[in-house]
Amino acid sequence: MSVSGLTARALKKLQQTTHKTLNRSLDRHVKLAVTGFSGSGKTAFITALVKHLTTQATAQNLPFFEVVREQRLVACKQVPQSALDIPSFEYQNAVQHLLADPPSWPPSTQRINTLTLALKFRSTQGVRQHLSDTHTVYLELIDYPGEWLMDLPMLNQDFASWSEQQLKRLAQPDYAHISAPFLQQLAKFDATHAVDESALAALANSYADVLKQLKAQTRLARLQPGRMLIPGELEGAPILQFFPVSGLDAVPEQSQYHHLEQRFEAYKKQVITPFYREHFCRFDRQLVLVDLLSALNDGHTTLTETQSALSDTLAMFRHGKSGFLSRLFRPSIDKVLFAANKCDSVALADQDKLTRLLHTLLLPSENELKFSGVEIDTMAISSVKSTQPKQLTEQGKILSCIYGKPVGEPNYISYLPPIPPEHLPSAQQWPAQGYEFLSFEPYPAYQGQIEHIRLDHVLQFLLGDKLQ
Ligand SMILES: Nc1nc2c(ncn2[C@@H]2O[C@H](COP(=O)(O)OP(=O)(O)OP(=O)(O)O)[C@@H](O)[C@H]2O)c(=O)[nH]1
Ligand SMILES: [Mg+2]
């Protein structure tokens, strides 16, 4: 290769890097982590965010989002994404579900995908005002199957501690009826024995069945390994064929235990680590969506499990105030918003209780984050409104009900939802009849417009300062 060819390429690379760096230093590029376990509402949130910013950005619709209220948002549109190796988020398909008659929810996510929005706005202050009339912030969003998020904490575990944790969970009375066939098979398994591929495959399949049933019948978050549920390109790969086994005092070389341990480590190294490194290490802001209502429906054990799964997962993100220098080289999350999603399934007056419950669940994590200089907030939201509040009078008493179409039901109903607890009730305090919050279909769009609850607060908290 000629020296001039090399120099030209090097120069181009330098220009690209400088351009990227300048974008970052002027806060032009914001990478938002929309985090949440499967079913927490990530895809619906991203769809609603794009819809509201691109076609419904009025002061009436987003009053708490300053740039919109002050009429400084010139326009917002989807632009080609920078990551060419990741499929694009199928916005049109997702939004068509919400706008259809009757409307439905976009399907659950099977692979990672991404989308970049350009927000062109007029600045009010600082250097920017003098640089040009309008400025553009690029907002990058990534959507992925929630199951894959659950794998991140495995990076901090070895095979023995992971196995112990999984087996303890499977033995809990709430889940024992599902895990019994696997646990019985496991009791007959000799981990010290020389490798028998067919025995390992049979147990791995049985363990995968348990995970699938737990997913179908409960709202348990930590179903690991997540790729057993959504394998993506790893369908049928031996790296997925492992399962938890009780620890041994000494692990014989060439034993089945040793083999499983190797597969576990390979899964961490070849599946979780690249995913984490490529997609989860360079976020600027984070939204954590939590579906508290499904966990409450499931019972005390699942709510407690959700709490510890959230705390383990949050610990995996790089947080901390992004000073100018660290920002250039290693941007880190400096604002985290915790959102109790789907708050439209409870009465308007009780939505605050969800916020307080979420706050209580996350206290230890919040404390940790605040200590590292991260700004946090907690709120109850619904990115896509699925019910309308409705007051009914019964025997002279006013009841705060909600009106909507429950998923799978043919008709709209007025429903008096249960009151969510404000604090984590102990097993003894748990109501005998449990909780029964209903899931609703999206509320029909009116003239192509969908409604939200506090999406504008979310946008202001996460992006407001970048659009000043
Ligand atoms: N009431 C209400 N329900 C919602 C909302 N967003 C999502 N849901 C419900 O939650 C379900 C899951 O939403 P998704 O957006 O697919 O969740 P996800 O986090 O992308 O899930 P995975 O793709 O499986 O990781 C939907 O099918 C709806 O039933 C919301 O804003 N309000
Ligand atoms: Mg999804």
Side-chain angles (χ1 to χ4, degrees):
M1 186 187 299
S2 75
V3 175
S4 63
L6 192 77
T7 318
R9 264 187 35 205
L11 197 64
K12 193 156 176 230
K13 190 145 187 235
L14 186 68
Q15 278 170 343
Q16 281 170 348
T17 316
T18 315
H19 185 68
K20 255 192 196 162
T21 308
L22 197 66
N23 265 349
R24 280 203 173 278
S25 60
L26 284 177
D27 278 352
R28 293 273 173 87
H29 194 103
V30 183
K31 199 167 165 191
L32 173 65
V34 181
T35 328
F37 299 131
S38 179
S40 57
K42 298 179 294 297
T43 303
F45 172 85
I46 294 175
T47 311
L49 179 144
V50 179
K51 172 82 173 90
H52 286 280
L53 287 179
T54 53
T55 67
Q56 297 184 217
T58 61
Q60 199 186 8
N61 182 40
L62 301 171
F64 278 89
F65 193 27
E66 267 171 23
V67 72
V68 171
R69 188 184 63 227
E70 293 167 359
Q71 302 191 338
R72 292 188 291 106
L73 185 67
V74 178
C76 171
K77 69 168 194 169
Q78 194 176 339
V79 292
Q81 67 207 39
S82 52
L84 299 178
D85 53 341
I86 307 180
S88 306
F89 181 81
E90 292 180 352
Y91 170 68
Q92 284 307 335
N93 177 41
V95 80
Q96 282 319 316
H97 277 82
L98 299 180
L99 296 177
D101 180 19
S104 61
W105 294 104
S108 170
T109 311
Q110 300 296 310
R111 56 179 193 179
I112 187 156
N113 53 72
T114 182
L115 162 139
T116 304
L117 285 180
L119 289 93
K120 191 176 261 195
F121 69 103
R122 274 186 291 273
S123 177
T124 54
Q125 48 177 260
V127 185
R128 280 206 177 126
Q129 223 179 352
H130 304 288
L131 283 178
S132 80
D133 286 348
T134 56
H135 307 277
T136 308
V137 158
Y138 294 92
L139 175 65
E140 195 180 327
L141 299 152
I142 288 182
D143 194 20
Y144 52 88
E147 282 82 358
W148 296 359
L149 180 73
M150 297 176 214
D151 280 350
L152 289 189
M154 288 169 76
L155 291 178
N156 279 343
Q157 292 178 305
D158 59 16
F159 183 58
S161 60
W162 176 78
S163 291
E164 193 188 323
Q165 197 186 53
Q166 293 306 307
L167 292 175
K168 207 166 135 199
R169 188 165 302 123
L170 294 185
Q172 278 173 337
D174 284 18
Y175 316 125
H177 62 291
I178 297 176
S179 46
F182 166 71
L183 293 178
Q184 281 158 12
Q185 243 176 302
L186 188 66
K188 294 185 213 136
F189 175 72
D190 183 357
T192 59
H193 204 272
V195 175
D196 172 353
E197 282 291 356
S198 63
L200 291 179
L203 264 161
N205 287 341
S206 172
Y207 180 63
D209 280 347
V210 172
L211 293 186
K212 284 176 195 152
Q213 283 192 51
L214 283 172
K215 184 179 171 188
Q217 295 179 34
T218 74
R219 297 307 300 231
L220 197 57
R222 221 167 350 188
L223 302 177
Q224 296 163 337
R227 305 266 172 165
M228 266 192 177
L229 294 165
I230 312 263
E233 70 290 355
L234 292 176
E235 182 86 61
I239 201 166
L240 291 184
Q241 293 197 341
F242 64 92
F243 48 86
V245 184
S246 301
L248 300 177
D249 290 338
V251 180
E253 283 279 325
Q254 313 301 332
S255 66
Q256 314 215 69
Y257 188 96
H258 185 68
H259 201 64
L260 288 169
E261 195 171 34
Q262 282 179 329
R263 282 189 183 166
F264 176 85
E265 290 303 330
Y267 183 78
K268 277 166 57 181
K269 193 165 163 212
Q270 293 170 36
V271 180
I272 313 179
T273 306
F275 181 67
Y276 179 59
R277 201 180 41 226
E278 284 159 31
H279 308 299
F280 278 82
C281 274
R282 302 182 69 83
F283 285 116
D284 303 285
R285 300 280 154 98
Q286 185 174 25
L287 169 67
V288 182
L289 293 171
V290 187
D291 180 1
L292 286 177
L293 300 176
S294 301
L296 282 167
N297 281 351
D298 227 23
H300 181 261
T301 316
T302 300
L303 190 62
T304 321
E305 278 290 335
T306 305
Q307 180 182 31
S308 75
L310 273 170
S311 126
D312 285 359
T313 310
L314 281 169
M316 300 306 295
F317 283 82
R318 203 193 295 266
H319 295 98
K321 206 156 189 76
S322 49
F324 181 70
L325 272 182
S326 63
R327 215 177 142 60
L328 286 183
F329 302 107
R330 211 176 64 176
S332 54
I333 296 169
D334 58 1
K335 273 187 166 202
V336 179
L337 178 66
F338 296 106
N341 200 10
K342 315 183 189 180
C343 73
D344 53 356
S345 291
V346 306
L348 199 58
D350 294 328
Q351 291 179 1
D352 270 0
K353 295 193 173 67
L354 281 182
T355 312
R356 283 195 283 275
L357 175 61
L358 184 59
H359 181 61
T360 323
L361 290 187
L362 292 167
L363 265 182
S365 304
E366 287 189 355
N367 194 42
E368 193 69 32
L369 290 172
K370 280 191 199 156
F371 197 82
S372 10
V374 179
E375 201 181 325
I376 58 169
D377 203 354
T378 315
M379 54 182 84
I381 70 159
S382 191
S383 38
V384 179
K385 207 167 157 181
S386 63
T387 67
Q388 300 292 347
K390 191 167 182 182
Q391 290 206 327
L392 294 182
T393 315
E394 201 178 84
Q395 295 169 348
K397 235 178 109 189
I398 297 177
L399 304 177
S400 296
C401 296
I402 50 176
Y403 177 77
K405 186 167 168 293
V407 170
E409 297 290 330
N411 298 317
Y412 280 76
I413 59 164
S414 296
Y415 175 70
L416 181 66
I419 300 174
E422 290 182 51
H423 303 288
L424 178 62
S426 65
Q428 290 73 31
Q429 293 165 334
W430 203 265
Q433 72 284 12
Y435 291 97
E436 198 191 343
F437 295 98
L438 297 184
S439 297
F440 294 87
E441 295 289 6
Y443 208 76
Y446 177 66
Q447 296 186 335
Q449 311 270 295
I450 57 170
E451 289 185 63
H452 65 88
I453 300 177
R454 290 183 209 98
L455 186 68
D456 49 344
H457 292 249
V458 173
L459 292 170
Q460 180 57 28
F461 179 81
L462 291 171
L463 302 174
D465 60 330
K466 307 278 187 190
L467 298 162
Q468 280 179 348

